[in-house]
Structures are given as C-alpha cells and as structure tokens.
Amino acid sequence: MANHVEIIPNGHDVEKGLHRTDTTVTMPPELFEKLYLTPKVPQVGDYKQRFANPTALGFLGFVISTFTFSMVLLGWGGASGFAPVVGIFFFTGPVLLLFAMIFEWIMGNFFPMMVMGLFSVFWLSFGVLQLPTLELGLPYATSSDPTGNSSPALNTDIALYLIVWGFAFFTFFFFTLKINTVFAFIFGLASAAVFVLAGAYFKVAAGDFAYAVRLQKAGGSLLFVVAVLGWYMTFIIMAGEMRITLALPVGDLSRFWPRTDVDLATAARQRRD
C-alpha cells in the first residue's frame, strides 16, 4: 500500500543550522482506522502531523491493568484481593488513559477519546471499591459479618453498578463494528465479562459463594482474552508508527460502511446522486 508523500520546502532555521520541511502524508482510510481506531473524516488543522499518535499509550495502560485484574480474578498462583495491586486502578490505567484521552480530543479523534475516557473512569470508580482503607462494607456490618463485605445489600449495589457498565460497553461495541473485528471483540467480550462479574456479586448477595467463585473465574477468563486482544492491537499500532512492515490482520470492517473521508456536504450530494 503506497502512501502519497509531498515534501514542501519551508525555509531554513539559520540559528540552529537546520533545514525544516513540512511533510504532508495522504493516508488511506483503512490504514488511518488501523492506527487511530476511528473513521477517517475531514478535519481542520494539522494536529496529526504535529503530535504523536496517543492511541497506543492509552491502550498500554488499559492492557496492563486488564491483564493484572484478570489474573487476580482467576486466582493464578494463589492470588487473592486487589490491595497489593491497587495502583492499576489509580495510576497505570487511568493516568495513561487520561493523557491519551486529552490528546485524542486535541487531535479531533472522537471515538478513541470516548473509549479512553470510558475506561479511565471505569478503573477509577472500580478501584474505589477495592480500597480496604475505605471500609465501604462497615455500614452493612453485622455480628456474623463484621466487615459487611458479604452483605446482600452491598453486593447487590455493586452488581447493579456492573450491569450499567455492561450496557455502556455494549453500546460502544455497536460503534466498533464500523472499525475492525479486533476492536469489536474487545468491547463485546468486555461487555460479557462485566455482566458475568455482576452475576458473581448477585451470587455473593444470595450466599452462594461457590457459584460466585466460578462466575468470577469465568469473568476473569473473558477479561484475559480482552487483554490479549488489547495487547495485539497495541503492538500493531506501535509497529505501524515505527514503520515496521507487518501484515497482521485486524479484520477491517470499514469497507462495509460508506466512506467517511469526505465532508458532510459531499456525502449528502453523493447520496442524492
């Protein structure tokens, strides 16, 4: 796939001894969507030429947090509880995702901006539930459950919270169907995972702890696959930005939709014709 590159001289920086050039790259829509995970649309400004692609940075924070989260849920090596790795909820995930979200917004990449913002607040809000110092279960404490962590009311609240997140992820899944198959699987499986984890909390509320553990591990397995797909997508984006030629498939879905790299007036005129 050949890109058209036009180099236009722009004068000399005599003081620094540098020769500056402006480089304009016309990127095919399918390559643009592979690197930025958003449809290519006409935009004002040259932000994509002046700023680095932030999408991989956000994905990096997401996959490191998701890998860790999923493996703890699976109980690998006897892992239990999130207190030792609570940094994934407040630093590793959200910090990188928030930085990426800000630059996606600056560059006019609507859908990646929404994705980064969604996952950053998910990790932050879920992390609050995992902080033992907050002792969120104490209002529900009883003599038989002094921490209140097994309280039906507490666990039902968390289950309902996860159901809302499941619908949010499923909404995003619908829009990923315009981008590529890997991205769609990430959101489809993430949606399924949080619904399964909601079921685990409902089972804790019902006192069925054995079934709750099975659902927890099922949710962890789904999230592990999500993390693997996220890492695959991160690798592809980084390889593309580093100009490493790899023909790794992502299952481009944009070809099934009308082209978006034209302005709205042109698109409307094409529909009338």
Side-chain angles (χ1 to χ4, degrees):
M1 183 181 302
N3 291 336
H4 172 69
V5 180
E6 181 185 1
I7 300 177
I8 308 170
N10 192 39
H12 299 270
D13 189 334
V14 178
E15 181 180 351
K16 296 182 180 179
L18 298 176
H19 177 71
R20 296 181 174 272
T21 63
D22 292 333
T23 303
T24 302
V25 179
T26 302
M27 188 181 297
E30 60 272 17
L31 178 58
F32 183 92
E33 290 163 11
K34 190 173 185 179
L35 293 179
Y36 290 94
L37 299 179
T38 189
K40 185 179 181 182
V41 297
Q43 292 179 337
V44 177
D46 60 346
Y47 299 116
K48 290 180 177 61
Q49 298 170 24
R50 292 193 291 141
F51 296 110
N53 181 1
T55 308
L57 180 67
F59 257 84
L60 188 63
F62 168 72
V63 296
I64 292 174
S65 296
T66 307
F67 262 130
T68 308
F69 185 59
S70 64
M71 290 187 286
V72 173
L73 288 176
L74 289 167
W76 284 6
S80 178
F82 295 101
V85 293
V86 74
I88 65 173
F89 300 115
F90 299 104
F91 297 101
T92 309
V95 169
L96 295 182
L97 285 162
L98 284 171
F99 272 118
M101 181 195 72
I102 292 168
F103 281 100
E104 296 283 10
W105 169 66
I106 291 172
M107 296 173 70
N109 295 334
F110 170 77
F111 191 65
M113 176 199 71
M114 294 290 290
V115 169
M116 303 304 172
L118 180 79
F119 280 123
S120 64
V121 295
F122 172 77
W123 288 124
L124 287 168
S125 61
F126 197 82
V128 170
L129 301 177
Q130 309 304 319
L131 281 177
T133 54
L134 294 181
E135 299 180 328
L136 297 177
L138 279 184
Y140 306 95
T142 62
S143 57
S144 59
D145 180 20
T147 64
N149 291 335
S150 300
S151 161
L154 174 67
N155 286 280
T156 299
D157 286 353
I158 297 174
L160 293 173
Y161 155 85
L162 288 174
I163 286 175
V164 173
W165 274 106
F167 280 112
F169 289 155
F170 188 77
T171 301
F172 276 64
F173 163 74
F174 174 78
F175 293 106
T176 60
L177 296 176
K178 197 173 182 179
I179 301 174
N180 65 57
T181 304
V182 175
F183 207 22
F185 267 111
I186 287 173
F187 270 97
L189 292 174
S191 177
V194 293
F195 281 132
V196 171
L197 292 176
Y201 280 99
F202 277 128
K203 286 299 180 181
V204 172
D208 191 348
F209 299 108
Y211 200 76
V213 171
R214 289 200 291 271
L215 288 174
Q216 174 185 307
K217 291 189 176 182
S221 299
L222 289 170
L223 287 173
F224 186 81
V225 177
V226 168
V228 171
L229 291 173
W231 203 275
Y232 177 74
M233 203 69 243
T234 305
F235 182 83
I236 287 176
I237 296 171
M238 291 182 67
E241 292 294 343
M242 296 297 293
R243 305 298 188 267
I244 298 175
T245 304
L246 293 173
L248 296 175
V250 295
D252 177 45
L253 299 175
S254 63
R255 66 181 184 274
F256 300 113
W257 296 79
R259 292 179 66 94
T260 57
D261 57 335
V262 293
D263 60 66
L264 294 177
T266 303
R269 188 164 54 251
Q270 289 173 346
R271 283 196 297 269
R272 287 197 302 269
D273 296 341

